[in-house]
Amino acid sequence: MPLFTVLALVGCASKPPSSVSKTTVPLDRVYDSEYMKDSVEKGKLTITRDTGFFYRGCAHDIYLNNKKALNIKNGETITLNLEPKEYLVRLEVSTAICRKADVTTSDEVTLRKGDHKEYRIIVATTNTAQVRLVRMK
């Protein structure tokens, strides 16, 4: 297998950011300050965007019940504090040049008081980029 092919395959795989390289989504890209107010009466929803060379410059919008909640980029993470109820978590590609990706975008989750649910945004590549929102716990 040519070295270029091996490097291309390795460079296209996404992986979770290490605890050292992971950065928090800046507050100016979280669109409701209530999401950042911690309370024992709420549940937590953590979303982490994988790192990787392929699709590195693409940003993603996260919607909660069809309301734009935040914008997340390569290697970032955020923990939202949410009222206990059912949520539709939806992912959209927000960068115009990246819109050709195959995006599987949503999941339903029920948060209860004290729950902590976690999601990863994974980029897989075959013939096209496939962006997935995957529940981890």
Side-chain angles (χ1 to χ4, degrees):
M1 184 178 292
L3 180 59
F4 175 77
T5 303
V6 171
L7 291 175
L9 291 173
V10 171
C12 292
S14 73
K15 62 183 179 184
S18 71
S19 57
V20 174
S21 68
K22 196 182 321 185
T23 58
T24 302
V25 173
L27 293 179
D28 65 337
R29 286 192 275 121
V30 179
Y31 304 121
D32 187 338
S33 61
E34 286 297 313
Y35 298 147
M36 304 312 296
K37 294 181 181 174
D38 199 4
S39 168
V40 295
E41 300 298 317
K42 295 181 176 182
K44 295 184 182 294
L45 180 70
T46 298
I47 300 170
T48 302
R49 162 81 190 275
D50 275 7
T51 62
F53 179 75
F54 190 74
Y55 240 52
R56 180 178 190 84
C58 298
H60 298 89
D61 290 326
I62 300 292
Y63 290 79
L64 298 175
N65 294 341
N66 295 316
K67 179 182 173 190
K68 190 173 180 178
L70 63 105
N71 180 272
I72 191 167
K73 296 181 179 178
N74 195 54
E76 291 182 332
T77 190
I78 188 80
T79 297
L80 305 174
N81 300 288
L82 303 173
E83 296 296 326
K85 65 180 184 179
E86 292 183 7
Y87 291 91
L88 175 65
V89 182
R90 183 171 47 115
L91 168 84
E92 286 189 4
V93 177
S94 64
T95 312
I97 197 166
C98 303
R99 293 194 191 266
K100 290 189 177 186
D102 173 20
V103 180
T104 301
T105 61
S106 64
D107 190 41
E108 293 180 5
V109 62
T110 301
L111 272 182
R112 293 182 177 81
K113 176 179 160 181
D115 278 355
H116 190 172
K117 307 288 183 177
E118 295 182 23
Y119 284 88
R120 265 178 65 196
I121 299 170
I122 297 172
V123 178
T125 56
T126 51
N127 293 335
T128 62
Q130 299 174 349
V131 181
R132 303 284 185 249
L133 180 66
V134 178
R135 189 183 311 184
M136 303 309 291
K137 75 173 197 173

